[in-house]
């Protein structure tokens, strides 16, 4: 091991036991290392701290020391990192091919493959399987077919496709290999041994192996669709559920759920842990077709019935029955939910609730019961048998509920009695036994001494132990009976048909806990025996490989662990043998006495702590506590004797229980009991003494183990080691320390040690030549080529080895023939020189395909390889550093030149800048002087101009002031003369008017003195008052008759509205039909003309609407015109028949429209007649004039007008709006006033206004709307009448007094009256559109 070599260093503390490191330096007795990561860099950001490891004591034999090489404490050589191409080619599929095969190398390889999703790895003949704790696509139908086809091609020697990628390690591969070897010419039986700790995946691996073997052993046309049929899938849940008879394959696979329900339980490490070992033997005929199977079980953990730790569970069948039973089954099995106090049944029962009754992660207990019942029915069990089995399971649960009370016997001793008789009655009923005898079995112990029976009452605590013992006995017997029934169903019918078999062993792995008891001793004893067989098998394979490669192997020793087996089982000093002897003592035997006897046997000396064979040990402290240690192949295990070793080993059926089962019990319980008795009888003792004796558990177990080992030795074994990456059952998580322990406990490292006892390093010829050709750099190409292409690699390797040994014997000489030393040799000479390559040639054996090396020669070759690599690396680094320095010099030279050029440029630019500054200074000075002189000139010029302006302004103001004085004086003179003239004229006018007024006044005084005229005047006033009263009475009569006529008019008006709506619809339809006709006739010119007219009309109406101050309803003609315009735009061509139809439709619509119009006119005439009748009867209805005006205007304009929607605005709005409009229309109203004067009446006034305004182009709508508003206002009408009366009086007075000015004065009075009318009636007037209504 030289500096720079990568090694694995062992760390006792921490989660990672082996850490990749690199050697920094080496001395004569130690090496200095530092930790690195897998990529080759330091494992932390900070500099790693170096540490040292000491050289182990070498062998006394120099030759052996040279062969083995130097060994350092906790240091192993590391393999080279594989490239991606090597990984893709499967270079790490088999770890045997690794140059260095030891614990850290195996751990690293398994870890790397695990994180790549490759859970299977070969280690020679052993398949390592790591539990992924997740579903991986590794067991599909396609993958199974690939392995089946490859196995078939290999078995037929048909060759393998060279272009196809070889299949990697898989459980299918080892199952296929066992089947093909079984079908070979020798027809030798096979066995597949699957081991591992709880949670490592043994049960699932067993299922997969059985599936593959049964698939290959089932013909294509079988009833179950097995073999290559499409129904074959991984798992048994997918097997069809039918009433037809199942195939052998399906029956074998369906047996798994039953065995798992009765033999599997949840532990802290595994949800579905097998608490028993089983060996499933599959029998095949000569054609390789599966004939049946047989199951043999080992060491059921019955102690779990009475106790299990927190977080664990009892056997699955209890929870499946409690959680999956129906209501009927609850009543049948006495599961009363109301008595649990709110607890779940699984937590209520004592046997199931100790660990908290947790649920499983993979499946529910309800589903588990369905699978179990389905498998029972598949086995051919009828419903009665299934019900009896479940009844016994329920009876065991009720038996665990039995509680005891304390009472005093007649002798004054404390004895137990049943606390609840109903619980015992339910348990007896379900178990099928007598209640009294069950009570006796629980509370009484019977002893037979010299033929006499002695009954001993038990104390409460002893009664509880008896209860748990009885429950364990019943369940153990039930389990054996279930296995027997399963074998009856799947067993082959005739032994002669079986030509060979393939067995699958699912056995518990090596166990070492904080407290180890009888179960761990039996389990480790089993693994010790299997490991010995495994070592023999590996050693045998090594011998075969050496013989195949023509390698001498006489010196290789076989590591044997027979002394450990003898320590456990030998007679008379074996641990189990002495345990049996202690059990024979009966009540005198105890666990403490047994441990004491063990220490006296193996540690006879006073202070001895380790036995002579080093397998048994116990310190003084351990001896005091009853603890002893056994050194197994996987390590030292401490067993605690005082954990009921004797009771567990006896496992005998009490006499009370025998009486209970043999008498007054059901047929099933008797059958179950007979199976238990048959399994525990000692047949050898029966042959000698004539009476059967009960065997202890250790005797039964040793007999089963001996039979198993003998059977395995007669078969070709195949090994699968299951590993558990972490205790949390999480995917993609690996605890390397736990994995290392499992590799040790599983015997993998022991197998590797056996395989590498002789030549641990093996390489193929080409790899050996490529790796070590660099050790001879001074050897020319002619003597030893550098490349192995087109040459035999075996011969090159042999030649290389000879030259290496020849050159290694020579002293190192780095000087050339001419006395010079090359750069490479200078580097080599400066380095620490490795050990000389001197070793026996026999330590490197050249086989036919491989080169076998012992560790010493390999270490020397590796140290020289590292030495030359370091020299080469140093040489390359020196060249690289030279190139870097040269490049750095060139860069610095170029940079210096660049800096010089830049500096010169800076100097030139600075000089040029100074010249520019001098020139700019001169220019700035000139400009500054120019600005000074310019400012002086501007100031002088501005002062002169200002002085001139002041002088000229003063003269101009003098002239203007003189002119103003003259003008004011002249104005005063003329104004004074005008005022004098005006005052004189006014005085003259006043004098004249005074004279006229005096004359008029005198005349009035004269008339006032005349009494006749005064009476005449009074009579006129009375007449006027009478006329006004008559007018008011007539107005009241008119109001009474008005309501009647208005009602009739409203009815007629409603009919007219309906007719008008109908007319509008007909006009729309007629317009549409006319439009269609126009489109069909395709008269484009007429269409355009019509569109133009309609467009102008629409634009006209929009302008009128914009000019109108209030919103009004759009007329029906406008809508029709708009629709007609839209309709005339669109047209389509049709046939002549369609055109004729449209013409006919137009004619019909015109006739119907004409009829509707006639009816409308008739209705209007009736309304006019009603209104005229109202007028004849004296009912004045001014609104009739509105209709008259509307009709007249309609006749003039060709369209009807709608005045029904004229709103009643507020007084303020009317006043403001009328005032604004009246000012604008004053000129137009002059003609209206003239007509009013000429007509002298109000009835025809609206018609006259409408006729006059009709001739006014563009202002018709405004005037008509004004009249409509005025005529609708009742207050306006009254005001007009009163004002007219006043006007008549005023006119009469003026006519009397001013008769000579009557005509002119009357016109002026009428104009004034109209203005006052507008002001008075303004709040009730509204001008809308142009129609006048009152």
């Amino acid at each position: 091991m030289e500096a720079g070599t990568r090694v694995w260093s062992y760390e006792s503390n921490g989660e990672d036991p082996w850490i990749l490191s690199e050697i920094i330096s080496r001395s004569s007795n130690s090496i200095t290392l530092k930790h690195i990561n897998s990529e080759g860099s330091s494992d932390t950001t900070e500099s790693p701290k170096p540490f040292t490891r000491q050289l182990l004591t070498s062998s006394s034999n120099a030759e052996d020391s040279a062969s083995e090489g130097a060994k350092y404490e906790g240091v192993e050589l590391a393999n080279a990192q594989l490239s991606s191409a090597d990984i893709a080619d499967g270079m790490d599929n088999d770890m045997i091919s690794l140059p260095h095969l030891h614990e850290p190398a195996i751990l690293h390889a398994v870890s790397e493959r695990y994180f790549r999703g490759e859970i299977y790895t070969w280690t020679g003949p052993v398949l390592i399987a790591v539990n992924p704790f997740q579903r991986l696509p590794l067991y599909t139908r396609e993958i199974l077919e690939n392995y089946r086809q490859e196995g078939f091609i290999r078995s037929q020697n048909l060759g393998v496709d060279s272009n196809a990628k070889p299949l990697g390690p898989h459980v299918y591969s080892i199952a296929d290999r066992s089947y093909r070897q079984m079908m070979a010419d020798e027809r030798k039986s096979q066995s597949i041994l699957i081991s591992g700790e709880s949670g490592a995946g043994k049960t699932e691996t067993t299922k997969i192996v059985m599936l593959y073997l049964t698939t290959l052993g089932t013909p294509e046309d079988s009833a179950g669709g097995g073999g290559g049929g499409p129904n074959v899938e991984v798992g048994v849940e997918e097997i069809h559920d039918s009433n037809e008879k199942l195939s052998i394959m399906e029956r074998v696979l369906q047996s798994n759920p039953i065995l798992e329900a009765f033999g599997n339980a949840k532990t802290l490490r595994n949800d579905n842990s097998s608490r028993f070992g089983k060996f499933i033997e599959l029998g095949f005929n000569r054609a390789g077709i599966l004939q049946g199977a047989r199951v043999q079980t080992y060491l059921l953990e019955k102690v779990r019935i009475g106790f299990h730790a927190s977080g664990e569970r009892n056997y699955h069948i209890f929870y499946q029955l409690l959680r999956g039973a129906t209501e009927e089954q609850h009543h049948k099995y006495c599961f009363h939910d109301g008595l649990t106090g709110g607890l779940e049944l699984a937590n209520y029962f004592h046997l199931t609730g100790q660990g908290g009754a947790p649920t499983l992660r993979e499946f529910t207990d309800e589903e588990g019961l369905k699978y179990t019942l389905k498998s029972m029915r598949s086995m051919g069990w009828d419903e009665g048998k299934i019900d009896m089995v479940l009844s016994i399971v329920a009876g065991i649960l009720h038996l665990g509920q039995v509680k005891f009370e304390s009472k005093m016997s007649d002798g004054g001793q404390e004895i137990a009695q049943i606390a609840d008789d109903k619980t015992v009655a339910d348990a007896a009923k379900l178990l099928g036994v007598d209640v009294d005898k069950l009570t006796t079995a629980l509370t009484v112990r019977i002893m037979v001494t010299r033929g006499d029976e002695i009954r001993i009452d038990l104390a409460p605590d002893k009664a509880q132990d008896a209860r748990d013992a009885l429950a364990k006995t019943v369940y153990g017997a039930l389990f054996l009976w279930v296995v027997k029934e399963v074998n009856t169903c799947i067993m082959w019918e005739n032994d002669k048909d079986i030509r060979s078999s393939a067995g699958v062993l699912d056995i518990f792995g090596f166990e070492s806990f904080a407290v180890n008891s009888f179960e761990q001793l039996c389990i480790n004893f089993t693994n010790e025996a299997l490991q010995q067989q495994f070592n023999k098998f590996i050693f045998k394979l090594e011998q075969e490989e050496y013989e195949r490669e023509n390698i001498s192997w006489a010196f290789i020793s076989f590591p044997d662990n027979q002394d450990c087996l003898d320590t456990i089982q030998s007679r008379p000093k074996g641990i189990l043998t002495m345990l049996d002897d202690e059990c024979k003592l009966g009540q005198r035997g105890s666990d403490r006495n047994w441990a004491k006897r063990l220490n006296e046997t193996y540690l006879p000396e006073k202070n001895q702590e380790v036995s002579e064979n080093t397998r048994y040990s116990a310190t003084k402290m351990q001896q005091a506590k009853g603890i002893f240690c056994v050194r197994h192949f996987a390590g030292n295990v401490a067993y605690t004797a005082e954990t009921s070793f004797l009771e567990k080993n006896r496992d005998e059926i009490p006499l009370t229980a025998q009486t209970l089962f043999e008498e007054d019990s059901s047929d099933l319980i008797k059958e179950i009991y007979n199976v238990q008795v048959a399994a525990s009888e000692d047949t050898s003792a029966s042959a000698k003494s004539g009476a059967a004796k009960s065997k202890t558990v250790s005797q039964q177990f040793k007999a089963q183990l001996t039979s198993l080992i003998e059977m395995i030795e007669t078969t070709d074994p195949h090994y699968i080691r299951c590993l558990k990456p972490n205790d949390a059952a999480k995917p993609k998580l690996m605890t390397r320390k736990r994995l290392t322990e499992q590799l040790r406990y599983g015997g993998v490292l022991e197998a590797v040690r056996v395989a590498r006892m002789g030549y641990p390093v093996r390489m193929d010829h080409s790899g050996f030549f490529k790796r070590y050709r660099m050790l001879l750099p001074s050897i020319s190409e002619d003597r030893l080529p550098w490349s192995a292409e087109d040459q035999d690699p075996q011969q090159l390797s042999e030649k290389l080895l000879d030259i290496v040994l020849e050159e290694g014997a020579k002293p190192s000489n780095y000087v050339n023939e001419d006395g010079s030393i090359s750069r490479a040799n200078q580097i080599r000479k400066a380095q620490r020189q490795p050990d000389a390559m001197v070793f026996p040639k026999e330590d490197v054996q050249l086989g036919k395909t491989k080169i076998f090396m012992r560790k010493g020669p390999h270490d020397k070759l590796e140290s020289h390889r590292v030495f030359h690599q370091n020299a080469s690396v140093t040489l390359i680094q020196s060249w690289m550093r030279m190139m870097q320095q040269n490049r750095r010099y060139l860069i610095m030279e170029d940079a210096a030149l660049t800096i010089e050029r830049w500096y010169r440029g800076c100097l030139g630019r600075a000089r040029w800048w100074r010249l520019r500054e001098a020139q700019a200074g001169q220019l700035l000075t000139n400009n500054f002087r120019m600005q000074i002189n310019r400012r002086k000139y501007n100031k002088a010029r501005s002062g002169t101009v200002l002085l001139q302006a002041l002088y000229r302004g003063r003269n101009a103001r003098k002239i203007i002031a003189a002119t103003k004085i003259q003008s004011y004086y002249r104005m005063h003179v003329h104004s004074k003369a005008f005022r004098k003239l005006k005052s004189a004229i006014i005085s003259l006018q006043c004098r004249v008017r005074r004279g006229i007024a005096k004359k008029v006044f005198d005349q009035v005084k004269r008339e006032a003195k005349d009494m006749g005229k005064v009476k005449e005047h009074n009579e006129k006033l009375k007449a006027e008052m009478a006329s006004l009263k008559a007018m008011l009475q007539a107005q009241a009569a008119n109001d009474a008759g008005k309501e009647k006529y208005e009602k009739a008019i409203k009815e007629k008006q409603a009919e007219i509205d309906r007719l008008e709506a109908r007319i509008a619809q007909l006009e729309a339809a007629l317009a549409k039909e006319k439009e269609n006709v126009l489109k069909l006739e395709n008269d484009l010119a007429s269409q355009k003309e019509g569109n133009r007219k309609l467009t102008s009309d629409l634009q006209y109406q929009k302008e009128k609407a914009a000019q109108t101050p209030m919103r009004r309803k759009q007329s029906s003609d406008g809508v029709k015109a708009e629709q007609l315009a839209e309709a005339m735009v669109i047209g389509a061509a049709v046939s002549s028949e369609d055109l004729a139809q449209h013409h006919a439709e137009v004619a019909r619509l015109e006739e119907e429209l004409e009829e509707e119009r006639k009816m409308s006119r008739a209705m209007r005439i009736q309304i006019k007649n009603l209104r005229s009748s109202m007028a004849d009867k004296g009912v004045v209805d001014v609104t009739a004039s509105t209709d008259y005006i509307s009709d007249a205007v309609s006749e003039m304009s060709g369209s009807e007008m709608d005045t029904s929607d004229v709103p009643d605005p507020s007084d303020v709005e009317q006043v403001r709006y009328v005032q604004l409009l009246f000012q604008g229309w004053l000129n137009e109203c002059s003609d209206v006033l003239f007509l009013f004067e000429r007509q002298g009446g109000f009835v025809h006034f609206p018609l006259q206004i409408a006729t006059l305004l009709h001739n006014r182009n563009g202002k018709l709508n405004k005037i008509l709307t004004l009249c409509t508003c005025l005529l609708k206002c009742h207050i306006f009408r009254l005001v007009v009448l009163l004002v007219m009366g006043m006007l008549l009086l005023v006119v009469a007075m003026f006519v009397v007094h001013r008769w000579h000015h009557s005509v002119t004065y009357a016109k002026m009075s009428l104009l004034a009256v109209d203005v006052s009318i507008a002001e008075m009636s303004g709040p009730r007037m509204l001008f809308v559109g142009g129609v006048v209504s009152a």
Side-chain angles (χ1 to χ4, degrees), residues 512-704:
S512 178
F513 303 127
V515 178
N516 299 286
S517 185
F518 178 73
E519 293 84 3
Q520 282 70 43
L521 180 61
C522 294
I523 289 172
N524 295 340
F525 172 51
T526 304
N527 284 272
E528 196 75 45
L530 293 175
Q531 185 64 34
Q532 185 187 42
Q533 189 276 333
F534 181 57
N535 291 343
K536 291 179 181 179
F537 172 72
I538 297 297
F539 186 71
K540 182 180 178 181
L541 292 180
E542 288 293 306
Q543 290 177 342
E544 292 177 355
E545 185 174 10
Y546 291 158
E547 291 175 356
R548 188 168 54 251
E549 295 285 343
N550 292 329
I551 301 300
S552 176
W553 52 275
F555 62 91
I556 300 176
S557 61
F558 169 67
D560 194 4
N561 62 339
Q562 185 63 41
D563 55 347
C564 183
L565 295 175
D566 293 341
T567 302
I568 297 174
Q569 69 172 355
S570 65
R571 289 180 179 275
K573 297 182 179 181
I575 296 175
L576 294 179
T577 303
M578 297 176 69
L579 180 63
D580 294 336
D581 295 339
E582 192 72 18
C583 292
K584 294 177 182 179
L585 297 177
Q587 297 299 320
R588 294 177 297 172
S590 65
D591 295 332
R592 171 70 68 174
N593 293 336
W594 171 63
K596 183 178 180 181
R597 289 181 58 197
L598 288 177
N599 294 329
E600 292 175 353
T601 302
Y602 289 99
L603 306 174
E605 302 296 333
K606 183 176 182 181
N607 295 324
Q608 186 178 357
E609 295 183 354
V610 181
S611 63
E612 294 180 359
N613 61 0
T614 69
R615 291 292 183 176
Y616 183 93
S617 63
T619 63
K620 293 299 180 181
M621 183 67 69
Q622 290 175 339
Q623 292 178 21
K625 294 180 179 180
I627 300 174
F628 63 92
C629 300
V630 177
R631 184 173 60 84
H632 296 281
F633 70 94
N636 218 25
V637 180
Y639 300 95
T640 304
E642 295 182 357
T643 53
S644 304
F645 263 79
L646 268 67
E647 181 182 352
K648 294 176 181 178
N649 187 44
R650 287 194 187 102
D651 196 28
E652 60 183 1
I653 303 175
L655 293 178
T656 54
Q658 294 179 13
T659 305
L660 176 67
F661 295 146
E662 291 175 352
E663 301 176 3
D664 297 334
S665 59
S666 64
D667 296 336
L668 181 60
I669 202 69
K670 287 181 179 179
E671 184 179 354
I672 291 173
Y673 174 69
N674 293 332
V675 173
Q676 173 72 17
V677 172
S680 61
E681 283 182 351
D682 191 349
T683 56
S684 62
S686 175
K688 294 179 181 179
S689 61
K693 298 176 64 177
S694 177
K695 293 188 296 185
T696 61
V697 174
S698 62
Q699 291 174 346
Q700 299 177 35
F701 190 73
K702 285 190 291 185
Q704 291 178 342

Side-chain angles (χ1 to χ4, degrees), residues 906-978:
C906 289
L907 292 177
R909 284 190 293 273
R911 184 176 172 224
W912 174 76
W913 186 258
R914 287 194 295 271
L915 293 175
R916 285 193 63 187
E917 285 181 345
Q919 185 179 2
Q922 185 66 32
L923 182 62
L924 182 61
T925 303
N926 296 337
N927 279 281
F928 184 73
R929 292 170 180 165
M930 180 268 293
Q931 291 293 337
I932 292 174
N933 295 325
R934 184 179 178 182
R935 289 181 64 183
K936 291 180 179 179
Y937 169 76
N938 288 334
K939 285 182 179 180
R941 182 175 177 275
S942 61
T944 302
V945 172
L946 179 60
L947 181 61
Q948 293 176 354
L950 290 174
Y951 178 76
R952 292 170 183 165
R954 184 170 177 274
N955 292 334
R957 283 191 293 276
K958 287 181 179 181
I959 296 171
I960 292 171
T963 304
K964 284 186 177 181
I965 292 171
Q966 293 175 2
S967 63
Y968 279 127
Y969 178 75
R970 295 188 188 101
M971 179 188 69
H972 174 71
V973 172
H974 288 88
S975 177
K976 185 177 180 181
F978 172 75

Side-chain angles (χ1 to χ4, degrees), residues 1253-1260:
L1253 295 181
H1254 178 66
N1255 297 326
R1256 300 283 185 176
N1257 294 331
K1259 298 183 179 180
L1260 174 63

Side-chain angles (χ1 to χ4, degrees), residues 1051-1067 1120 1152-1153 1155-1164 1166 1200:
E1051 292 177 356
K1052 296 297 181 180
Q1053 187 65 37
E1055 185 67 19
I1056 291 173
D1057 293 339
R1058 186 188 64 78
L1059 291 175
E1060 287 180 350
R1062 176 61 180 166
I1063 290 171
Q1065 293 176 359
L1066 291 176
E1067 287 178 350
K1120 294 174 185 176
E1152 187 175 354
L1153 181 61
E1155 292 295 330
E1156 295 292 338
R1157 285 178 175 173
K1158 288 181 180 179
M1159 293 176 64
S1160 178
R1161 286 194 294 270
M1163 289 294 177
R1164 292 182 184 277
Q1166 292 178 8
E1200 296 182 359

Side-chain angles (χ1 to χ4, degrees), residues 28 72 134 144 374 428 630 670 703 964 984 1124 1163 1169 1276:
S28 59
Y72 293 88
Q134 61 179 334
L144 188 145
K374 177 182 176 182
V630 177
K670 287 181 179 179
K964 284 186 177 181
L1124 182 61
M1163 289 294 177
N1169 294 333
F1276 173 75

